[in-house]
Amino acid sequence: MTDAGTGTFWEHLEALRWVIVRSLAVVVAFAVVAFFLKDWLFAVVLAPRTSDFVTFRLLSVEPFSVHLMNTGLTEQFMTHIRVSVYAGMLCAAPYIVFELFRFISPGLYANERKAGLWVGVSGCVMFFIGTLLNYLLIFPLTVRFLGTYQVSADVENMLTLQSYIDTLLSMSLVIGIIFELPVVCAILGRMGLISSSLMSRYRRHAIVAILVVAAIITPTTDIFTLCIVSLPIWLLYELSIWLVRIEN
């Protein structure tokens, strides 16, 4: 499509179909590459379970290691596929955003195209930052606490590979979505639905909500970990106020 004003509904639908096909093809291609790089992929994925991980070395954490086990005949193979697909989707995200923007841009005005490009690029970047923060900080602290926590010395932890991977993927998704806060607030500010003064007025309420969210994400008992997790989310809120002030 070179002109949003031309073409029938079915031609637009056909163009969308090819956008989806090309996006899926890129996801599959990255997933296949990740699948065959199994040793490197799982060296990265499983690194946060020991005190040798970079974050724990920087924090001078006491030596520990969380041991994982497999309980199902097909569990390791299916986990390999799941992690490969997620890695493929993560790597293909910029291309998918590009394809979607190229599809809708002919029907937008110049200022709308500029805004749409900003939303797509910034949203993708913020999701990557959130995922990276989760991998380097939030998830390792969670694994260390929950993986070594014992109600009694007589009860030994035996964590499954599936539980570890499920927690990593779900937390990566949640933190990635949380990091979209500045983008969402900027859009709402541009639409006039929120204002910087309103967000500043409810800053104390937001801080309490941030502490609650941080406590849920990292169910640890020490205040240090809670502050480490809460700080970036609070900074996101402050960044959101600044962006809304600019948009208004």
Side-chain angles (χ1 to χ4, degrees):
M1 292 186 301
T2 59
D3 187 354
T6 63
T8 66
F9 169 79
W10 297 110
E11 289 173 337
H12 288 287
L13 191 62
E14 177 69 9
L16 177 60
R17 184 176 74 87
W18 279 108
V19 168
I20 296 174
V21 169
R22 288 193 296 268
S23 299
L24 288 177
V26 173
V27 170
V28 171
F30 276 115
V32 170
V33 172
F35 185 85
F36 284 104
L37 294 176
K38 181 184 69 172
D39 292 340
W40 177 85
L41 178 64
F42 279 90
V44 173
V45 169
L46 300 179
R49 67 186 178 87
T50 70
S51 56
D52 292 330
F53 190 58
V54 57
T55 302
F56 296 130
R57 292 203 304 267
L58 292 175
L59 296 177
S60 300
V61 172
E62 294 181 0
F64 79 96
S65 179
V66 175
H67 299 283
L68 303 177
M69 66 175 184
N70 176 55
T71 59
L73 180 63
T74 63
E75 183 175 319
Q76 292 204 53
F77 180 72
M78 295 306 297
T79 297
H80 186 188
I81 293 178
R82 287 178 56 211
V83 174
S84 299
V85 170
Y86 187 88
M89 294 175 63
L90 199 61
C91 294
Y95 178 79
I96 295 173
V97 171
F98 166 74
E99 281 286 353
L100 292 175
F101 177 76
R102 190 172 67 168
F103 174 74
I104 65 173
S105 61
L108 303 176
Y109 294 108
N111 62 328
E112 293 174 334
R113 282 196 294 270
K114 185 182 296 185
L117 180 62
W118 179 87
V119 169
V121 172
S122 58
C124 195
V125 170
M126 293 304 294
F127 188 88
F128 277 121
I129 293 175
T131 300
L132 185 62
L133 177 68
N134 176 65
Y135 174 76
L136 291 176
L137 183 63
I138 301 176
F139 179 71
L141 294 176
T142 302
V143 168
R144 176 177 175 270
F145 174 75
L146 295 180
T148 60
Y149 184 84
Q150 291 178 285
V151 295
S152 171
D154 297 329
V155 182
E156 183 178 357
N157 286 328
M158 300 181 66
L159 306 179
T160 65
L161 174 65
Q162 184 178 7
S163 173
Y164 179 93
I165 296 299
D166 286 345
T167 304
L168 173 59
L169 297 185
S170 60
M171 288 185 64
S172 296
L173 181 62
V174 169
I175 301 301
I177 292 175
I178 289 176
F179 266 65
E180 299 297 329
L181 177 65
V183 180
V184 174
C185 289
I187 294 174
L188 296 177
R190 173 67 67 88
M191 297 171 62
L193 297 179
I194 60 175
S195 64
S196 58
S197 59
L198 177 67
M199 296 182 68
S200 299
R201 189 182 315 132
Y202 286 95
R203 179 181 278 109
R204 286 180 296 180
H205 302 78
I207 292 175
V208 173
I210 288 170
L211 291 173
V212 172
V213 171
I216 294 174
I217 294 175
T218 55
T220 61
T221 55
D222 61 289
I223 191 67
F224 175 72
T225 302
L226 182 63
C227 291
I228 287 180
V229 177
S230 301
L231 180 60
I233 303 178
W234 171 70
L235 291 176
L236 285 176
Y237 187 80
E238 296 298 330
L239 175 61
S240 300
I241 295 177
W242 180 72
L243 290 174
V244 171
R245 184 178 295 117
I246 293 177
E247 294 298 330
N248 290 339

